Amino acid sequence: MNWLRQPRWSPYLVGAGIGVLSWITFGLMGKALGTSTTLVRWAGLLEALVDRQHVTANAYYAKYLVSEPAVDWQMMLVVGLPIGALISALLSRSYRVERVPKLWEWRFGPSRAKRYAWAFLGGALLLFGARLAGGCTSGHGISGGLQLSVGSWLFFAAFFSTGVIAAFVLFGKEGRNHV
Amino acid sequence: MFNVAPADQLVLGLATGLAFGFLLHRGGVTQYRVIVGQFLMKDHTVLRTMLTAVVVGAVGVYAMQSAWFTEAVGPVKMHVKNAVVLANVLGGILFGAGMLLLGYCPGTGVAALGTGSRHALSGVLGMLAGAAVYAEVHPLFYGKIQAVCDLGKATLPEVTGLPPWLLTGALAVIAGVLFSVLRGGGTAAGERS
């Protein structure tokens, strides 16, 4: 069982695995892989702890929390993600605490507060974008891509090209030597 | 109370998430440097993984749409999202900028929580904030963006009139060429984890 302990598998093997996982979710569960809707549900449920009325009166939240089950298949998928990754990391002994990534430190210094602040902002920006677009790298990128969906391929082209431009603006060509 | 889906749905969702999270970690895409390395066009692990997933997935999912499969096994539902062109593009631009800053997407960021990435937790909290802000502003402007160009649940086979197997085949060829031309992130062996 040596392969279970390898820290990295070929990206083609992993990609094929995700593709076959999609066959199973489409064919046996009637679902498509996705993540970002769950973050809307979590945000809404957390807000509802404080002001339930505000959440149920918001048409966008109500669509995901009132018209549909608030706790559903995809929410459990998202709960499973870190557990599955943890199992893989433990089996392959590659669990590593990372607070400030080396590449970030090279460019922006060792400050944890600075890294956490920008990670927070990046997370906020990307989820806002995902909800505007109607999906993220799983819902649009993988599930939409494999269905040859027009909107999903537009999303893919837009996020990938923006990411590349932003990467060269922020890290520069020299950043390539620090990956 | 808010409703909860039937237990079998929850168990299947959890099992799917366990497998997905395991695969994302083994693929290396729960690592900040792999995601940012892709955007710096240095490590093409993300492209290799995603394009392989899309091609393999398309073969199976479109095979399930074929007449013989439907007859032999039964219909399999598609889950195509609406192509709201301006929303897809603007959302994609914000997503790309955010993904570069965070170094994760929603799926890989949540998965990275299980691998020891502490800054990913800050990113996930940011995602919750982004979702909350979006929920407040969506009713104010989404209609205007949607009005510009909404193609409905459009797929490439419908728009081009070409059969899915041809488009999938073409995509496989393009992916194969990219995989052989691009350098970096191609093999599991010899890379540090």
Side-chain angles (χ1 to χ4, degrees):
Chain A
M1 302 301 270
N2 192 28
W3 58 277
L4 264 183
R5 299 199 176 278
Q6 283 171 2
R8 285 285 285 273
W9 287 350
S10 149
Y12 308 122
L13 180 68
V14 170
I18 295 170
V20 171
L21 188 62
S22 289
W23 300 356
I24 296 169
T25 65
F26 270 79
L28 297 178
M29 307 180 194
K31 302 280 183 191
L33 293 175
T35 311
S36 65
T37 307
T38 292
L39 285 135
V40 175
R41 291 200 170 99
W42 280 345
L45 289 172
L46 285 172
E47 273 186 59
L49 292 176
V50 182
D51 188 349
R52 196 193 150 84
Q53 204 67 40
H54 178 77
V55 171
T56 50
N58 178 301
Y60 191 74
Y61 275 143
K63 182 177 154 203
Y64 297 112
L65 295 170
V66 180
S67 312
E68 296 174 12
V71 177
D72 72 339
W73 181 87
Q74 194 199 84
M75 187 176 282
M76 294 309 292
L77 182 160
V78 177
V79 169
L81 281 176
I83 305 173
L86 175 66
I87 294 170
S88 171
L90 292 178
L91 276 175
S92 59
R93 295 169 199 269
S94 48
Y95 184 94
R96 303 271 185 281
V97 172
E98 179 181 79
R99 294 189 176 87
V100 180
K102 285 200 179 67
L103 173 59
W104 176 275
E105 189 177 338
W106 164 75
R107 181 68 182 82
F108 298 105
S111 163
R112 278 187 205 172
K114 190 172 172 184
R115 172 61 199 145
Y116 287 10
W118 283 99
F120 185 92
L121 188 79
L125 204 59
L126 80 85
L127 214 89
F128 190 97
R131 293 331 296 165
L132 172 58
C136 61
T137 6
S138 0
H140 264 318
I142 293 170
S143 300
L146 69 87
Q147 293 178 94
L148 307 173
S149 147
V150 173
S152 300
W153 280 97
L154 284 173
F155 172 79
F156 188 91
F159 100 71
F160 197 84
S161 48
T162 308
V164 170
I165 293 166
F168 279 94
V169 169
L170 273 189
F171 292 94
K173 262 191 106 171
E174 177 61 17
R176 288 164 56 88
N177 300 327
H178 296 267
V179 169
Chain B
M1 262 309 284
F2 293 111
N3 292 316
V4 176
D8 61 325
Q9 293 277 309
L10 302 182
V11 172
L12 290 173
L14 184 66
T16 305
L18 289 174
F20 196 18
F22 191 98
L23 286 168
L24 290 175
H25 176 263
R26 283 299 153 106
V29 292
T30 54
Q31 295 177 52
Y32 171 89
R33 69 173 190 87
V34 172
I35 304 261
V36 177
Q38 175 65 71
F39 287 135
L40 283 166
M41 301 299 268
K42 169 88 174 184
D43 177 336
H44 297 283
T45 301
V46 174
L47 268 187
R48 292 181 207 280
T49 310
M50 283 191 77
L51 288 178
T52 306
V54 164
V55 170
V56 170
V59 169
V61 167
Y62 270 99
M64 291 178 203
Q65 299 302 311
S66 65
W68 66 263
F69 187 93
T70 307
E71 212 164 286
V73 185
V76 169
K77 207 178 123 208
M78 292 288 268
H79 304 272
V80 179
K81 295 169 189 277
N82 284 346
V84 182
V85 173
L86 196 55
N88 295 143
V89 172
L90 287 177
I93 290 171
L94 294 175
F95 188 90
M99 186 167 166
L100 186 267
L101 284 175
L102 174 56
Y104 297 108
C105 59
T108 55
V110 173
L113 296 178
T115 70
S117 174
R118 299 290 160 79
H119 59 119
L121 180 59
S122 185
V124 172
L125 294 174
M127 290 181 207
L128 293 174
V133 171
Y134 187 78
E136 296 304 321
V137 299
H138 174 91
L140 305 177
F141 76 103
Y142 191 75
K144 283 174 199 148
I145 285 189
Q146 195 173 20
V148 175
C149 182
D150 184 353
L151 303 174
K153 298 186 187 302
T155 63
L156 292 172
E158 289 165 14
V159 170
T160 60
L162 298 169
W165 63 263
L166 185 64
L167 290 165
T168 307
L171 191 61
V173 171
I174 294 169
V177 170
L178 278 177
F179 295 163
S180 56
V181 170
L182 296 172
R183 292 275 161 255
T187 52
E191 292 196 41
R192 62 198 169 99
S193 55

